Amino acid sequence: MTQTPSGPHTLEVALGSRSYPIHIGPGLLAEPGVLAPWLVGQQVMIVTNETVAPLYLERCRAALPEGVEVRELVLPDGEATKNLEHVSRIWDALLEAGFNRRCTLVALGGGVIGDMVGFAAACYQRGVAFIQVPTTLLAQVDSSVGGKTGINHPLGKNMVGAFWQPRGVLIDTDTLDTLPPRELSAGLAEVIKYGLIRDADFLVWLERELPALRELDPDALAGAIQRSCALKAEIVAEDETEQGVRALLNLGHTFGHAIEAHQGYGDWLHGEAVGAGMLMAAELSARLGWLSDRDVERLRVILRVAGLPLDAPAGMGADDFLSRMRLDKKNVDSRLRLVLLRAMGDARVYDATPEALLVELLEQFPRG
């Protein structure tokens, strides 16, 4: 993979009549009316959170065309808010404003806002339009693309939701300038995931560029975001509702979601839990004879350079993992299905892991 210039770039998620573009580049939110082509009707509600609103709400409003009715809803920040109570606040605001089926919701924020707004749009009057304007790296490279929307349940992450595609995705890379380093590292976990599951050359590129990415180098960020979105768009076009290859995007997530649910949503960032989960998946792949110890150590170094945790949470036992993992959405007929690595850059869904081997891994994996 060669380095990609940081100028504007457009990709497409090819879903027939529901296809939509992903616009990527610096300063896109500063372009007056840039969101206009994706609006349905004249009613627009921007939904954001208390952290993002002071930074980008006015800029987002200016990206809408003149003459439309614009309402704003500012929700609390954090993974702990990704629940039915806060989705209901979106529906309340829409109803109180008298918004009809030809309204458009704009999700301005990270993955929590994007998932909740998409779910609210999927359900409101049986489905209205929405636009993704992601402001975190994790949302830009993963959750804003592909139409997975939903909320958490105390027993499991993202257990209530719907597939509902946006009308478009606007990725203004300048929004990363205000992203805290911990959030940036969490986003890098999802970027690393794409190299592990489908693009070994991209993984090599990432090994070289991770220091530049952590320093917010514009060309490195553009390259990482564009390649990640291209891979996500390719997979979603092939398998929109996760009947096959799209499940590979869950590398590390079965372990990671268990960590998030056990720890209480928000203690571990999603990307942090996924990072540890990918290392657990790699270690299990090695115990099955698919990866070498050198491969596992290579991934450990990549995650360390990205600033991600390498240990599971202290006090989370094997039984805690297993009870949460058995609720995973990939499971079929009570069979635990894990995304594992046959090689670096080659992931598979596997449902024949000997339970004793999995329990051994969960008991022996380091705790932090």
Side-chain angles (χ1 to χ4, degrees):
M1 177 178 169
T2 57
Q3 197 170 52
T4 304
S6 55
H9 190 79
T10 298
L11 304 168
E12 182 183 58
V13 181
L15 293 171
S17 62
R18 292 175 296 106
S19 298
Y20 56 91
I22 308 168
H23 294 330
I24 306 166
L28 294 183
L29 267 178
E31 297 181 14
V34 68
L35 298 177
W38 301 332
L39 299 185
V40 174
Q42 299 296 304
Q43 296 175 319
V44 181
M45 181 166 290
I46 304 171
V47 183
T48 187
N49 66 38
E50 294 169 343
T51 301
V52 175
L55 299 169
Y56 301 114
L57 181 53
E58 286 305 313
R59 203 176 303 181
C60 187
R61 177 187 273 272
L64 295 166
E66 295 183 3
V68 297
E69 178 186 356
V70 182
R71 301 295 179 95
E72 300 162 356
L73 176 63
V74 180
L75 297 174
D77 192 8
E79 187 76 29
T81 68
K82 190 177 163 183
N83 54 37
L84 190 57
E85 174 191 349
H86 290 91
V87 171
S88 291
R89 288 185 57 180
I90 301 174
W91 293 325
D92 291 345
L94 291 167
L95 288 166
E96 289 166 3
F99 273 33
N100 58 42
R101 286 181 173 175
R102 287 183 54 78
C103 70
T104 304
L105 277 63
V106 178
L108 174 67
V112 170
I113 285 292
D115 282 7
M116 287 199 298
V117 173
F119 184 45
C123 298
Y124 186 66
Q125 299 197 22
R126 298 187 174 89
V128 297
F130 88 110
I131 298 167
Q132 289 273 19
V133 184
T135 59
T136 68
L137 181 61
L138 191 146
Q140 291 176 356
V141 301
D142 188 63
S143 60
S144 67
V145 178
K148 273 190 177 181
T149 72
I151 55 176
N152 299 329
H153 186 279
L155 294 179
K157 185 176 172 73
N158 294 334
M159 296 303 291
V160 181
F163 288 99
W164 191 249
Q165 300 294 342
R167 297 265 300 170
V169 181
L170 187 79
I171 298 175
D172 185 340
T173 55
D174 284 350
T175 60
L176 299 180
D177 292 343
T178 56
L179 192 66
R182 185 182 172 197
E183 293 272 3
L184 182 72
S185 290
L188 288 173
E190 296 284 2
V191 177
I192 294 164
K193 175 192 74 179
Y194 290 109
L196 289 171
I197 67 171
R198 201 161 172 118
D199 192 339
D201 289 341
F202 183 40
L203 190 64
V204 172
W205 180 88
L206 281 171
E207 286 177 289
R208 184 179 73 246
E209 298 294 333
L210 273 171
L213 288 165
R214 294 193 70 186
E215 292 296 324
L216 299 177
D217 177 82
D219 286 332
L221 284 171
I225 294 168
Q226 289 173 24
R227 186 58 185 152
S228 298
C229 286
L231 288 166
K232 180 74 176 279
E234 176 184 299
I235 290 170
V236 170
E238 188 176 337
D239 176 25
E240 181 181 3
T241 58
E242 202 170 296
Q243 303 304 305
V245 68
R246 186 167 180 172
L248 300 180
L249 293 167
N250 291 303
L251 176 68
H253 285 59
T254 303
F255 296 103
H257 286 172
I259 291 172
E260 288 185 87
H262 180 268
Q263 295 298 106
Y265 299 114
D267 186 17
W268 279 57
L269 297 178
H270 174 66
E272 293 173 333
V274 167
M278 290 192 298
L279 191 55
M280 298 177 86
E283 175 63 36
L284 183 58
S285 300
R287 295 183 184 211
L288 288 165
W290 297 342
L291 294 185
S292 67
D293 291 342
R294 184 176 179 180
D295 290 328
V296 177
E297 181 58 27
R298 179 186 174 196
L299 177 56
R300 186 175 286 109
V301 171
I302 290 171
L303 295 171
R304 182 184 299 118
V305 174
L308 291 160
L310 304 177
D311 299 337
M316 186 174 181
D319 288 343
D320 297 319
F321 270 100
L322 287 170
S323 64
R324 306 282 182 174
M325 292 168 69
R326 290 192 174 108
L327 295 174
D328 188 81
K329 297 186 292 298
K330 293 186 302 302
N331 297 341
V332 176
D333 297 331
S334 300
R335 293 178 68 88
L336 189 63
R337 300 170 78 231
L338 298 171
V339 181
L340 300 176
L341 295 169
R342 294 295 304 224
M344 303 294 265
D346 181 10
R348 308 289 174 86
V349 178
Y350 188 65
D351 65 358
T353 303
E355 181 155 335
L357 190 65
L358 177 59
V359 170
E360 181 182 73
L361 166 74
L362 293 172
E363 289 177 343
Q364 296 178 357
F365 197 82
R367 301 301 198 270

